[in-house]
Amino acid sequence: MLDHTHDPKLKSWVASANGHPDFPIQNLPLGVFAPEGGEPRGGVAIGDRILDLPAALAIGLFEGKAREAAQAASGATLNAFLSLGAGMRQSLRSRLSELLAQDSPEQDRLKACLHAAAECTLRLPARIGDYTDFYVGIHHATNVGKQFRPDNPLLPNYKYVPIGYHGRASSIRPSGVPVRRPRGQAKPAEATVPDFGPSQRLDYELELGVWIGPGNGLGEPIRIDEASGRVGGYCLLNDWSARDIQAWEYQPLGPFLAKNFASTISAWIVTPEALAPFRIAQPGRPEGDPAPLPYLMDEADQREGALDLELEVLLLTPGLQAKGLPPHRLALSNARHMYWTVAQMITHHTSNGCNLQPGDLLGTGTISGPDQESCGSILEATLGGKNPVVLASGEERHFLEDGDEVILRARGRREGYVPIGFGECRSTILPTV
Ligand code: CA
């Protein structure tokens, strides 16, 4: 999957792309943006600019498969583009790389198709039909399990089943849209009856989002050896969680109102092709763990089905802002801490015949690392609110407070390749109305 588009020597005539932490020419993520006063349309992030795909199509810069793919990626949602699959995506990527490369003969014509990203609004890149959230971050599952069951943190199904539940697609918003603190029913441990009011234990969850590309028909499971081909791209996902509401409502059917009030995603679809240099073998299972059942086992998937991506959570509070201090890093984790691969998630999801559709979104579940500096939720970082996070401003946080902004970032790095990022996934907590 590695080709000339990954060449580390490749530079762009869009000067801000060279050395850009997220969007060098080796990335080329797709999204939907609206220029000031304009209609939403498909675009490609390059440095601090956005290439307007319909504008570039209109001046005849694409042919053949690349043209078809660019057309599918030009509208106000990219579901048509997601349905295409790897071959079409590669054609478009290859042509975009040519057009945006330093020596491109088309640069004068293309300049008119660029917008300053700072002057555009990013939209959700697709109409999300369904959203499913998994629980494959084994350190998170263990940390949270310990708070409830110190001796037996992981339930016996965890190492056989990629655990998940159906989430809510309607409340997913792109980075930058604030989140309103939810009200809900909760019962403090010492109380005999629940009360109803603003959540007191609001939390973030650091997750990777997976965009489904070509889906499957109802009743037609996706085999493990074809599952990675059904991924259309990746994003960051903050699965906001109200822990007090969750603790009271989750038995016996799992999360409901504690999770469905909001989820925030980074707005760019980072393609599987862009992430090819950062693929790694699925880390071996600890001694004594069962092997995956045969329907979830594929050698190629075990060899290259995991991703080496740094994942970061930052917190910017009103106190830090008032003092001109930078955001506080709450966690540095890595996508390699997933017990199941993305292909295993997809195969398991469809193993009963359930159909996935282009533009469906999967969450991996919170991806914590093995130590206290890599906790993907504040529930873990503060041990259930017991040990507050202390900030340079003098503020403390047991859980999130109104005015707090949570920022997620992801970065792929590998010797011999240009690092790429996802763009930010950020949102500020607004008070309950
Ligand atoms: Ca979650």
Side-chain angles (χ1 to χ4, degrees), residues 232-293:
Y234 292 85
C235 62
L236 280 161
L237 168 65
N238 183 345
D239 183 36
W240 301 96
S241 300
R243 301 301 180 191
D244 42 359
I245 300 172
Q246 185 179 359
W248 174 234
E249 75 173 3
Y250 88 106
Q251 286 175 320
L253 288 187
F256 183 36
L257 302 183
K259 300 275 192 176
N260 68 6
F261 58 95
S263 310
T264 305
I265 60 172
S266 57
W268 294 103
I269 298 176
V270 179
T271 63
E273 289 70 39
L275 291 175
F278 314 106
R279 299 212 78 89
I280 53 170
Q282 174 67 357
R285 294 185 159 202
E287 186 83 18
D289 281 13
L293 294 180

Side-chain angles (χ1 to χ4, degrees), residues 26-374:
Q26 287 80 3
N27 192 347
L28 304 172
L30 292 110
V32 172
F33 73 101
E36 229 169 72
E39 291 296 309
R41 68 198 74 174
V44 180
I46 177 80
D48 62 10
R49 307 278 127 173
I50 300 174
L51 173 66
D52 187 318
L53 277 176
L57 268 167
I59 55 173
L61 291 175
F62 298 94
E63 286 175 0
K65 278 187 183 176
R67 182 160 183 273
E68 268 181 71
Q71 278 171 334
S74 285
T77 62
L78 304 191
N79 297 71
F81 171 74
L82 286 166
S83 72
L84 295 178
M88 299 286 276
R89 280 199 312 264
Q90 274 160 355
S91 302
L92 178 59
R93 174 179 170 85
S94 189
R95 180 59 179 152
L96 287 168
S97 178
E98 234 169 64
L99 288 170
L100 292 165
Q102 206 155 38
D103 52 1
S104 164
E106 307 289 359
Q107 56 183 286
D108 288 336
R109 295 169 76 202
L110 263 173
K111 270 176 194 152
C113 305
L114 292 182
H115 301 263
E119 288 160 19
C120 299
T121 312
L122 293 175
R123 305 293 183 96
L124 284 181
R127 186 183 33 74
I128 303 171
D130 277 300
Y131 160 49
T132 301
D133 198 21
F134 282 85
Y135 197 52
V136 307
I138 189 163
H139 300 296
H140 171 75
T142 307
N143 292 340
V144 172
K146 264 184 200 157
Q147 293 189 18
F148 297 96
R149 300 172 299 275
D151 302 329
N152 180 28
L154 288 181
L155 293 172
N157 57 2
Y158 191 85
K159 292 178 175 178
Y160 291 94
V161 180
I163 302 289
Y165 72 98
H166 286 122
R168 183 85 196 162
S170 66
S171 54
I172 301 174
R173 292 291 178 275
S175 179
V177 176
V179 165
R180 180 81 58 190
R181 178 181 299 273
R183 282 178 200 274
Q185 201 183 121
K187 190 182 86 63
E190 64 280 6
T192 51
V193 292
D195 61 5
F196 181 84
S199 169
Q200 302 299 309
R201 291 162 75 91
L202 187 55
D203 200 352
Y204 52 87
E205 288 194 334
L206 169 64
E207 302 195 17
L208 209 53
V210 179
W211 290 103
I212 295 298
N216 60 307
L218 185 61
E220 297 166 8
I222 297 172
R223 291 197 321 264
I224 185 70
D225 62 347
E226 51 183 13
S228 69
R230 307 305 175 95
V231 176
Y234 292 85
C235 62
L236 280 161
L237 168 65
N238 183 345
D239 183 36
W240 301 96
S241 300
R243 301 301 180 191
D244 42 359
I245 300 172
Q246 185 179 359
W248 174 234
E249 75 173 3
Y250 88 106
Q251 286 175 320
L253 288 187
F256 183 36
L257 302 183
K259 300 275 192 176
N260 68 6
F261 58 95
S263 310
T264 305
I265 60 172
S266 57
W268 294 103
I269 298 176
V270 179
T271 63
E273 289 70 39
L275 291 175
F278 314 106
R279 299 212 78 89
I280 53 170
Q282 174 67 357
R285 294 185 159 202
E287 186 83 18
D289 281 13
L293 294 180
Y295 79 102
L296 294 174
M297 189 64 186
D298 176 66
E299 245 173 72
D301 182 45
Q302 292 297 306
R303 200 168 57 236
E304 56 192 30
L307 287 165
D308 180 10
L309 294 173
E310 292 174 9
L311 304 173
E312 197 179 16
V313 187
L314 299 144
L315 174 67
L316 186 58
T317 63
L320 288 169
Q321 272 180 307
K323 295 189 175 172
L325 292 166
H328 175 89
R329 183 196 266 176
L330 284 166
L332 180 63
S333 183
N334 193 296
R336 62 172 68 223
H337 300 302
M338 289 164 55
Y339 192 76
W340 299 97
T341 66
V342 169
Q344 288 172 323
M345 288 160 50
I346 289 174
T347 290
H348 182 66
H349 200 314
T350 63
S351 61
N352 64 346
C354 174
N355 53 325
L356 296 177
Q357 304 185 89
D360 282 0
L361 186 67
L362 308 185
T364 55
T366 309
I367 305 179
S368 297
D371 46 49
Q372 205 53 29
E373 288 70 49
S374 53

Side-chain angles (χ1 to χ4, degrees), residues 2-24:
L2 292 168
D3 59 28
H4 63 97
T5 64
H6 302 97
D7 184 346
K9 292 196 289 292
L10 204 56
K11 296 258 192 295
S12 176
W13 55 265
V14 180
S16 63
N18 304 319
H20 195 277
D22 290 321
F23 308 132

